[in-house]
Amino acid sequence: MGAGSPRRGEGPPDGGWGWAVLGACFVVTGFAYGFPKAVSVFFRALMRDFGAGYSDTAWVSSIMLAMLYGTGPVSSILVTRFGCRPVMLVGGLLASAGMVLASFATRLLELYLTAGVLTGLGLALNFQPSLIMLGLYFERRRPLANGLAAAGSPVFLSALSPLGQQLLEHFGWRGGFLLLGGLLLHCCACGAVMRPPPGPGPRPRGDSADGAPGEAEAEAERAGLRLREAPSGGRSRRRLLDVAVCADRAFGVYAVTKFLMALGLFVPAILLVNYAKDAGVPDADAAFLLSIVGFVDIVARPACGALAGLARLRPHVAYLFSLALMANGLTDLSSARARSYGALVAFCVAFGLSYGMVGALQFEVLMAAVGSHRFPSALGLVLLVEAVAVLIGPPSAGRLVDALRNYEVIFYLAGSEVALAGVFMAVATKCCLRGRRSQDTRPGQGAGGAASDSEDAEAPGDSEALPAGSEEPGSLEAREVLSHGAAAPEAEAEPGRDPKPV
């Protein structure tokens, strides 16, 4: 576990121990996205025991999701300072402790603080570090790796929802929360496998010259979170959170898209079980609807990830993402009046397919937009923006359900918001980012090179022309130089390709 960043030409291993990291990401992603939705199975019991309305009870899932997203910058800073492994171990303990303490709650406020805040924070401290580590191990196979890791969400959702129903029937909601808290300890095991990829040379694990632990220093350098040596020879320092990424036009487009998307994307999944129960569907069959969404999602995410990795489609992954958003929104709009069980099953199939496409592409689009070296900071800031939308969307939907006693309006609103996000992403990518991409594409460089982080490194002369910290937000060449180090040796050209002109 050397602490130096990989030399140009070495790059991520695209395999090896990365497959173990991918498996851990699969589990962590499943808990992070599946757990807040699966908890909705307990809402009716909570409403009965605490005498609360649906909107008040739905705050448990909303706070959990808001903590998952809103603590993104905090997670980025902790990963930079301490490394992925210790942050994930602490996160697993917090997530488990939150559900265990929630089983003793006597008021809804206590549920908000334990199952909502504490468990949500623990899931956040697992989710973001796992994505950062996955990006360090995969580059050429990154779309496929992202798709496989994202498949953890439907797998766990399809398993946790029926499991929660069984726990509720046999042990009540208190016993169910206690057992689910023990299940979340698996996040600690996932954190234990998150070791940094091997670097070009060994370095002691002890503190580095600027006081950072050796493992955290290694991960920070590989993730591009460490400032390069100043031209005057001054000591380098670590950048805990790169807020300069907000000036990137592509990041701004993505952040607005994610905000609009988060307003309505999670609402149908959270309301689906209770919607079916109010329509007269038996409890067991209603809980199985989430499993149908999960089963379709399981197939959709890896398949979409593999599709996005094709050479012809990878440069246009933003358009695939916008297409998935529009398909999801139209599914909500067309199924707003579904009341029979057959119509609900058809909705779950279509929703699971489009939802899986969104889940498989969302982080690949962000990494392609800002570059791998800015991805940790960009991810933390995007999750913070998404947290605001999550705190607005599902709770507002719950209040509308309490006020109107009608789910049709909720599905219309949610579908319109998600479809609008897809339209905005497509139009902004076509109009606002097209000129920048044409400028970024150098003579002799294909379109795929302009959108992918797996291109060859620039020649030494180009590196000197673009020192660290002086790159323009839209310059992909500058991003590649910073990602691999300005003073690193030149990479060898890929077989069958001509080297880039100097």
Side-chain angles (χ1 to χ4, degrees):
M1 289 185 286
S5 58
R7 292 192 182 94
R8 201 180 298 185
E10 292 185 357
D14 273 307
W17 187 255
W19 297 118
V21 172
L22 176 58
C25 289
F26 178 89
V27 175
V28 169
T29 303
F31 278 125
Y33 279 118
F35 204 83
K37 302 179 187 68
V39 170
S40 64
V41 173
F42 298 91
F43 281 0
R44 279 207 165 186
L46 295 175
M47 292 165 60
R48 182 179 61 251
D49 285 6
F50 293 106
Y54 186 86
S55 61
D56 295 328
T57 310
W59 271 100
V60 176
S61 289
S62 298
I63 294 174
M64 195 181 296
L65 285 171
M67 291 299 296
L68 175 65
Y69 297 132
T71 55
V74 176
S75 183
S76 293
I77 292 173
L78 291 176
V79 168
T80 307
R81 181 64 182 88
F82 300 106
C84 290
R85 182 183 293 167
V87 172
M88 291 185 67
L89 290 173
V90 172
L93 293 175
L94 289 177
S96 176
M99 292 304 295
V100 171
L101 292 175
S103 66
F104 299 99
T106 57
R107 295 181 299 168
L108 271 180
L109 178 61
E110 295 173 0
L111 277 179
Y112 296 159
L113 296 176
T114 53
V117 175
L118 201 56
T119 298
L121 176 61
L123 292 175
L125 295 181
N126 274 269
F127 176 60
Q128 188 172 340
S130 68
L131 290 179
I132 293 173
M133 188 61 72
L134 187 67
L136 300 182
Y137 272 93
F138 291 92
E139 183 172 352
R140 181 173 57 86
R141 297 173 177 170
R142 193 182 68 212
L144 177 60
N146 280 328
L148 291 173
S153 174
V155 170
F156 275 64
L157 180 60
S158 62
L160 288 176
S161 182
L163 175 63
Q165 187 67 40
Q166 292 297 318
L167 293 177
L168 178 63
E169 294 175 359
H170 290 85
F171 304 103
W173 69 266
R174 295 186 184 275
F177 278 17
L178 185 64
L179 293 173
L180 289 177
L183 192 64
L184 285 174
L185 287 174
H186 285 85
C187 293
C188 295
C190 295
V193 306
M194 295 293 175
R195 72 185 187 195
R203 185 188 292 181
R205 263 182 80 94
D207 288 349
S208 61
D210 58 354
E215 183 172 337
E217 183 88 358
E219 295 171 10
E221 287 187 358
R222 288 183 179 84
L225 295 173
R226 192 172 187 274
L227 291 178
R228 300 296 176 188
E229 193 78 16
S232 60
R235 192 180 73 175
S236 62
R237 60 184 178 85
R238 287 180 303 123
R239 178 186 295 158
L240 296 180
L241 188 65
D242 183 13
V243 295
V245 72
C246 296
D248 194 323
R249 188 186 301 174
F251 174 82
V253 169
Y254 184 84
V256 174
T257 300
K258 288 285 283 184
F259 179 82
L260 294 173
M261 179 199 80
L263 286 174
L265 182 66
F266 307 111
V267 170
I270 292 176
L271 298 180
L272 179 60
V273 174
N274 290 282
Y275 174 43
K277 290 179 180 179
D278 288 350
V281 177
D283 289 358
D285 292 338
F288 185 69
L289 289 174
L290 281 180
S291 298
I292 296 175
V293 174
F295 292 146
V296 178
D297 205 353
I298 291 170
V299 179
R301 297 201 182 207
C304 189
L307 185 67
L310 297 177
R312 289 183 176 271
L313 294 180
R314 192 169 183 183
H316 309 292
V317 66
Y319 293 108
L320 287 177
F321 183 54
S322 63
L323 179 63
L325 289 173
M326 286 186 281
N328 186 271
L330 292 176
T331 298
D332 295 342
L333 293 173
S334 61
S335 305
R337 296 193 176 188
R339 301 292 290 177
S340 66
Y341 191 70
L344 290 173
V345 169
F347 162 75
C348 290
V349 172
F351 181 84
L353 181 61
S354 58
Y355 189 83
M357 293 175 64
V358 172
L361 296 174
Q362 55 181 343
F363 299 117
E364 174 63 25
V365 172
L366 177 60
M367 191 173 290
V370 303
S372 59
H373 73 291
R374 281 184 164 184
F375 177 70
S377 295
L379 177 61
L381 294 171
V382 163
L383 292 179
L384 180 60
V385 172
E386 201 167 351
V388 178
V390 168
L391 283 175
I392 296 174
S396 300
R399 290 195 177 278
L400 286 175
V401 169
D402 289 341
L404 303 176
R405 300 294 175 182
N406 185 355
Y407 287 88
E408 183 177 337
V409 177
I410 309 302
F411 276 77
Y412 282 136
L413 287 175
S416 300
E417 290 159 351
V418 178
L420 178 62
V423 172
F424 174 80
M425 183 72 181
V427 173
T429 302
K430 180 71 173 178
C431 299
C432 301
L433 304 181
R434 184 179 181 182
R436 193 198 73 172
R437 287 178 177 175
S438 61
Q439 294 173 3
D440 290 339
T441 305
R442 301 182 55 183
Q445 180 182 4
S452 172
D453 295 312
S454 60
E455 290 291 335
D456 299 322
E458 294 295 322
D462 294 336
S463 299
E464 295 173 0
L466 293 167
S470 65
E471 80 279 12
E472 298 179 5
S475 174
L476 296 182
E477 287 85 356
R479 287 175 183 167
E480 291 180 356
V481 172
L482 289 178
S483 178
H484 295 287
E490 182 179 359
E492 297 179 2
E494 294 180 13
R497 288 184 58 180
D498 295 331
K500 293 182 181 180
V502 178

